[in-house]
Amino acid sequence: MNAIALSYLLLAAQMGLYGILWSLTAWLVRSERLTGLLGAAYSLCWAGALALFALRGTLTPWLTYTGADVLVLCGFTLLWGRAYCFDRGRFPWRRWSLVTLLGALLLIWAGPAPEHMDLRLLLLALFSGVSGFLMICYSARPLRQQLGTPLSWLICLLGLAAILAWGERIMMAQSLPIPAQDFVYPSSHNILALLVIWLLTIALQLGQLFMVVLRNTRKLNDLSVRDALTQLLNRRGFEARWRELPAASRSLLLIDVDHFKQVNDRHGHDVGDRVLCHLARQFTDHMGPSATLARIGGEEFAILLPGEDIANAHGRAEYLRSQIAATPLPSEQGALHVTVSIGVATSQGECLFELLKQADLALYLAKRRGRNCVASQQDLAAQMS
């Protein structure tokens, strides 16, 4: 066994370790189970192919040539399938099976005969090129979401360069004499091909594992700052958003659902939950992207409006109240009319605690006025004067 063959054997062991890592990912991270299983299958296909590369000359050619080529072909199709699954959450089994079966049958038909080497190389080049292109296409969106546009383009270009280098090595082999076409033949071309394969596997495996870890870390972070029912920010997320905003004019709408306990008592807590989700959708639809929406209590919500003075905030609160009152929630018992009371306050440099206190006083004034209305700091001042 020459040095190149031994290197392929070591690389096969490395791919086997990646397969174990992907299997652990599938076992430990339920939301990434299919991605982990596909990553393990891809890694094990390549581990088997690389081990068969290394064993050429010691086992039957049907196994070390045809068998290895079929595993490489399966590995490439699993490569783009894993990226597809990571992006879309599912795997195109029927498409993958048909294409892979067709390619495998062609490789088996060609067999290990040296005179069919050109056909085998052409098939592998075709599959590697198409799979690499599809992998980059399906990786672009999650990369952009996780890392931003410039870095995602850089990673995609590096992946494309590696795939092209691999394809170029396969196509170049067609112009070499028969012994030199073999991947384990000791030549400068094969040393370069081995280096490309090694770098490509490291980049693909660690890059994809990093993406899985990053996405799930962000999911956990998002769960810690969002309300599980309405998907709005919770109290912790709302306070974090307050700290991120510049200390300019900021208005706060504090919203309480009118007679919410009666809704739960009459219709059940499941309908109560639907009411809260219905209100969250109303807030999202009518308050615009600049507003920070949060559920800070059982039936209490807060909306932060950056750059709004008290008059504008009062007007937007009145508009929101009227839209909610005019949009009943359909239910099994008929249309359920929901109203809210809103307290409005504007920051004059106070901390969030003081702003919430002022908005809470205005909210209680709205309730004393009969609910389904809006009250603000100005109303409080007028009442006290």
Side-chain angles (χ1 to χ4, degrees):
M1 182 178 292
N2 60 38
I4 293 182
L6 181 60
S7 298
Y8 274 115
L9 198 58
L10 293 175
L11 187 55
Q14 180 182 345
M15 292 298 290
L17 290 175
Y18 287 134
I20 294 173
L21 286 176
W22 280 111
S23 299
L24 289 173
T25 300
W27 180 42
L28 296 173
V29 187
R30 180 171 297 181
S31 61
E32 302 289 348
R33 179 162 296 173
L34 186 54
T35 300
L37 291 174
L38 290 171
Y42 158 76
S43 302
L44 294 177
C45 278
W46 267 97
L50 293 168
L52 291 174
F53 284 170
L55 295 173
R56 285 179 178 175
T58 60
L59 298 177
T60 173
W62 275 100
L63 188 59
T64 57
Y65 284 87
T66 304
D69 290 345
V70 170
L71 286 175
V72 168
L73 184 145
C74 292
F76 273 120
T77 49
L78 284 166
L79 177 64
W80 73 261
R82 183 182 63 180
Y84 184 96
C85 176
F86 185 78
D87 181 37
R88 308 288 179 87
R90 61 185 188 277
F91 183 66
W93 295 104
R94 185 175 301 176
R95 194 185 319 169
W96 176 82
S97 301
L98 290 175
V99 173
T100 306
L101 179 61
L102 177 61
L105 290 174
L106 287 172
L107 287 172
I108 293 171
W109 174 79
E115 59 268 21
H116 292 156
M117 178 71 77
D118 289 349
L119 176 59
R120 299 204 308 271
L121 292 173
L122 181 62
L123 283 170
L124 292 178
L126 178 63
F127 266 82
S128 64
V130 172
S131 298
F133 176 76
L134 291 173
M135 178 201 67
I136 291 170
C137 288
Y138 293 126
S139 299
R141 186 171 67 172
L143 280 170
R144 187 169 60 252
Q145 291 173 344
Q146 301 292 333
L147 303 176
T149 301
L151 190 55
S152 66
W153 274 108
L154 176 61
I155 294 174
C156 287
L157 288 174
L158 290 175
L160 180 61
I163 291 293
L164 289 175
W166 165 256
E168 188 274 338
R169 163 62 185 87
I170 297 176
M171 295 302 295
M172 183 183 63
Q174 293 181 308
S175 62
L176 299 174
I178 292 295
Q181 291 181 351
D182 197 334
F183 280 103
V184 296
Y185 183 83
S187 68
S188 58
H189 297 108
N190 284 332
I191 293 174
L192 179 61
L194 176 62
L195 180 61
V196 168
I197 293 173
W198 179 64
L199 293 175
L200 182 61
T201 54
I202 290 178
L204 291 175
Q205 298 283 14
L206 296 184
Q208 190 69 46
L209 282 167
F210 172 74
M211 291 295 295
V212 169
V213 170
L214 181 61
R215 182 162 74 177
N216 282 274
T217 300
R218 291 188 173 181
K219 282 182 180 179
L220 290 173
N221 182 65
D222 200 46
L223 287 173
S224 71
V225 297
R226 288 200 175 273
D227 174 55
L229 177 64
T230 63
Q231 296 305 305
L232 301 181
L233 293 175
N234 57 21
R235 182 66 176 259
R236 177 181 177 183
F238 184 71
E239 292 175 353
R241 179 59 179 159
W242 168 271
R243 291 192 293 269
E244 293 172 359
L245 290 173
S249 177
R250 292 174 287 192
S251 291
L252 175 68
L253 312 186
L254 197 60
I255 304 167
D256 190 80
V257 185
D258 295 332
H259 306 296
F260 185 69
K261 185 177 184 301
Q262 295 179 15
V263 173
N264 282 331
D265 292 342
R266 291 178 182 176
H267 303 283
H269 288 276
D270 56 332
V271 175
D273 289 345
R274 289 176 56 194
V275 167
L276 297 177
C277 293
H278 169 72
L279 290 174
R281 288 192 296 270
Q282 294 290 311
F283 301 153
T284 304
D285 291 342
H286 298 301
M287 298 310 292
S290 62
T292 298
L293 314 175
R295 181 188 177 196
I296 59 174
E299 67 272 16
E300 195 169 64
F301 298 87
I303 300 178
L304 192 61
L305 301 173
E308 298 276 0
D309 59 23
I310 190 69
N312 288 335
H314 191 284
R316 295 188 67 179
E318 184 60 41
Y319 170 75
L320 178 63
R321 181 207 61 77
S322 63
Q323 290 297 316
I324 292 172
T327 311
L329 173 67
S331 70
E332 291 76 6
Q333 294 83 13
L336 185 62
H337 292 271
V338 180
T339 62
V340 296
S341 300
I342 305 177
V344 184
T346 298
S347 171
Q348 303 296 333
E350 300 94 346
C351 66
L352 178 59
F353 176 78
E354 289 297 327
L355 185 61
L356 283 168
K357 183 178 179 180
Q358 291 297 316
D360 195 46
L361 291 173
L363 174 61
Y364 275 106
L365 177 59
K367 289 182 177 182
R368 288 197 301 271
R369 288 178 172 179
R371 293 184 169 85
N372 190 24
C373 66
V374 177
S376 68
Q377 283 174 311
Q378 292 176 338
D379 298 318
L380 286 170
Q383 188 184 55
M384 294 175 62
S385 61

